[in-house]
Amino acid sequence: MSSRRFRLIRHQDVSGVSGTGPVAEGVQFTDGAVALRWYGDYPTTTVWDGIDSVVAIHGHGGATVVEWIDPEPGPDPDLNLPPRESLPPRPWPDLHSAPDRQDPDPLHSERDLGPYGAAPPWSAARVSR
């Protein structure tokens, strides 16, 4: 298989941001990974583990679909890539779990606030301009 181009076509703008019609273009690489480039006033490029992840996040239950530009090329006999099914599990659909809370800044913890909770001397709160 070689790289394969596609477009995202939005039939209904669920978010009210991107409009309808072609909203992004992308390429699926040989290993199944996808790079996606959004059209519009704030173009953005994102990388995904596969087209299924793109559809799971941006498909909005069928409101947006993938339109393949290139035909499915099939496997490339010169590459010895493992099948996608044999790779470690993908992070979807557990999108909103957060890691256990830890000290966000171990170098400057609450103990550095001083005896009355004041900001440390190096903080922006103590710098006069």
Side-chain angles (χ1 to χ4, degrees):
M1 177 171 131
S2 61
S3 299
R4 186 178 183 201
R5 298 173 299 152
F6 66 92
R7 284 187 205 95
L8 286 186
I9 307 296
R10 186 151 283 164
H11 299 292
Q12 179 185 5
D13 187 3
V14 175
S15 66
V17 175
S18 58
T20 58
V23 293
E25 62 187 37
V27 62
Q28 182 180 44
F29 297 102
T30 305
D31 69 351
V34 170
L36 184 65
R37 179 73 177 172
W38 290 92
Y39 303 140
D41 294 338
Y42 304 99
T44 306
T45 303
T46 56
V47 179
W48 299 85
D49 66 339
I51 197 69
D52 293 340
S53 295
V54 172
V55 172
I57 299 301
H58 298 295
H60 300 292
T64 303
V65 296
V66 174
E67 176 187 84
W68 292 102
I69 297 169
D70 299 321
E72 171 68 56
D76 186 337
D78 295 331
L79 292 176
N80 189 18
L81 296 174
R84 290 292 293 170
E85 300 79 35
S86 70
L87 297 176
R90 297 177 184 162
W92 315 119
D94 187 18
L95 299 175
H96 301 290
S97 65
D100 292 338
R101 181 170 166 77
Q102 296 179 356
D103 188 353
D105 187 356
L107 296 177
H108 304 102
S109 67
E110 290 182 11
R111 70 179 186 280
D112 295 333
L113 293 178
Y116 303 105
W122 59 83
S123 75
R126 296 207 129 195
V127 175
S128 58
R129 296 180 186 197

